[in-house]
Amino acid sequence: MKKAALALGILAASTSAAWAQSTVQLYGIMDVGLRATTNAAVGSSKKTVVPGGMSQSRLGINVTEDLGGGLKAIANLEHRLNSDTGTAAAADFWRQSWVGIQSADFGRITLGRQYNILFDIYTSTYASFKYSPYIEAYKPEIGLSMGARQDNMVKYLFETGPIRGELQVSAGEGNSQNKSYGGLLRYAQGAFSLGGAFLQVEDTLGKKVKGYTAGGAYTDGPLYVNLSWASNKFDQGGLLGAAYTAGLLGNVLNAAANDVKKRDMISAGLTYQMTPQWNIGGHYWYATQTHYSAALANTKSKGHYFAVVADYAFSKRTDAYIELDYTKHKGAVAFSNGATNRGGSMVGLRHRF
């Protein structure tokens, strides 16, 4: 009995020592906004409480374990929620769920559901705004990130000096529309950051979508300026047109918006930190789209998107924001109610922990 107790004591001590080398971090964002949009029905406006104005509300866990010899085990679980109702923001409860190994010499490899390389290059290198990479309630640029995440992914990241590279591949198992491969290359030195990426995603019919992006940003004290280009090319008859179109503004556009042959977007913006508390930013996106259907074969649809944001930081973790945006479509693409333009305004409060 004494030997058993001694063995259990030694095991408990050794386990505690191992656990002491691990770090588990709970993090999250709570963001709620009050939003008004014009032409929500033709000629009328709509007022709503939105569960994330600048950022989607989330709760996540980061895990790091020092394995010695410059190696670390890493893992992440992240849930997205509707902060206005307390419900899940998506059918997949865990929007990220991955595990990996990181080496000081050889880079990092991660496995599971995670951000794709288009989202990575955009948010790390030429994000729309300095203090928040994009506006959650109005994010045309994310519509060209081809879903932003992929299931069943293996991703490899390496860095040497100012250069970072990433490669991703995902199997597209079962009925998942996530069979993919791609890569990015990024250079960041001093005030400048430049980069580009390519991603191909294949659906269960064997139809492909190819995404390309390139851009850069410049930071000079309180001033941040960015410029980028992105393009998505769709095989005819694929299953991903509607899903990727919804990324532009949500499920608010007409059927012609889902008939995509090629979609291009050029965007430019700046952010200026007026005081330690006040940031202001503006961004403009210009998109063009061609179609496959015979009736629209000679039509080139266009979209103009513009947003300005003023953000006041009460602290490093808590801020309030005021946002204005305007959308104008021309050609076959319009809002589902037939409107071709729409204005939006929003005020909100966000806390990070």
Side-chain angles (χ1 to χ4, degrees):
M1 188 71 179
K2 291 182 179 180
K3 290 182 179 179
L6 179 61
L8 288 173
I10 293 172
L11 178 61
S14 61
T15 303
S16 299
W19 285 353
Q21 297 172 18
S22 298
T23 300
V24 179
Q25 177 196 27
L26 180 69
Y27 69 91
I29 298 175
M30 289 298 291
D31 184 329
V32 180
L34 307 177
R35 182 168 173 81
T37 55
T38 64
N39 281 339
V42 178
S44 66
S45 62
K46 181 180 180 181
K47 299 176 179 65
T48 57
V49 176
V50 292
M54 291 301 295
S55 302
Q56 192 173 43
S57 297
R58 69 199 68 177
L59 182 64
I61 302 169
N62 278 324
V63 180
T64 303
E65 182 184 12
D66 188 351
L67 302 176
L71 287 178
K72 291 181 180 180
I74 53 177
N76 175 259
L77 290 169
E78 185 176 283
H79 170 64
R80 299 296 180 98
L81 65 143
N82 295 317
S83 51
D84 57 339
T85 63
T87 57
D92 47 353
F93 185 86
W94 296 112
R95 298 293 277 158
Q96 290 201 88
S97 54
W98 54 260
V99 64
I101 292 288
Q102 181 171 306
S103 165
D105 298 319
F106 302 109
R108 182 177 76 184
I109 186 166
T110 49
L111 303 92
R113 177 172 173 80
Q114 51 195 307
Y115 287 122
N116 68 28
I117 52 92
L118 295 182
F119 186 88
D120 284 350
I121 190 69
Y122 179 79
T123 54
S124 69
T125 309
Y126 39 86
S128 293
F129 299 93
K130 181 67 174 179
Y131 53 86
S132 189
Y134 55 87
I135 304 167
E136 175 61 27
Y138 190 83
K139 48 184 180 182
E141 66 275 44
I142 303 303
L144 276 81
S145 68
M146 295 168 59
R149 305 169 183 85
Q150 259 81 48
D151 298 338
N152 309 309
M153 186 197 298
V154 179
K155 183 195 290 185
Y156 173 65
L157 179 151
F158 66 90
E159 285 188 291
T160 175
I163 298 173
R164 174 190 296 176
E166 289 185 30
L167 298 170
Q168 79 163 70
V169 61
S170 53
E173 301 166 17
N175 293 320
S176 172
Q177 313 296 333
N178 282 292
K179 186 176 181 179
S180 71
Y181 71 86
L184 71 80
L185 193 62
R186 173 180 183 262
Y187 176 88
Q189 183 74 30
F192 292 94
S193 61
L194 303 167
F198 164 78
L199 178 64
Q200 176 178 291
V201 178
E202 183 177 332
D203 65 25
T204 51
L205 298 178
K207 304 293 185 178
K208 301 177 180 65
V209 184
K210 296 179 180 179
Y212 310 82
T213 184
Y218 173 76
T219 303
D220 183 10
L223 178 66
Y224 169 76
V225 181
N226 62 90
L227 176 68
S228 65
W229 160 85
S231 180
N232 289 174
K233 296 180 179 180
F234 293 73
D235 284 353
Q236 188 172 12
L239 301 175
L240 293 167
Y244 290 172
T245 294
L248 288 168
L249 297 173
N251 294 302
V252 297
L253 299 178
N254 62 3
N258 301 334
D259 175 25
V260 191
K261 184 176 183 180
K262 185 171 182 284
R263 181 180 288 140
D264 293 287
M265 180 178 285
I266 296 173
S267 68
L270 63 86
T271 301
Y272 190 81
Q273 186 169 344
M274 300 174 63
T275 72
Q277 289 77 37
W278 280 105
N279 281 282
I280 59 170
H283 207 92
Y284 170 71
W285 304 264
Y286 172 66
T288 61
Q289 178 175 323
T290 55
H291 306 268
Y292 273 112
S293 67
L296 301 176
N298 297 318
T299 300
K300 190 173 188 178
S301 298
K302 300 177 182 180
H304 300 270
Y305 312 91
F306 179 71
V308 293
V309 182
D311 184 275
Y312 181 82
F314 294 102
S315 68
K316 290 182 178 181
R317 297 181 179 272
T318 304
D319 62 321
Y321 53 85
I322 302 172
E323 184 265 359
L324 299 171
D325 56 77
Y326 181 74
T327 303
K328 183 175 180 61
H329 289 124
K330 184 178 180 181
V333 175
F335 289 99
S336 55
N337 60 12
T340 57
N341 61 78
R342 178 173 291 180
S345 59
M346 182 171 58
V347 296
L349 184 66
R350 173 174 56 178
H351 179 75
R352 305 175 180 91
F353 61 90

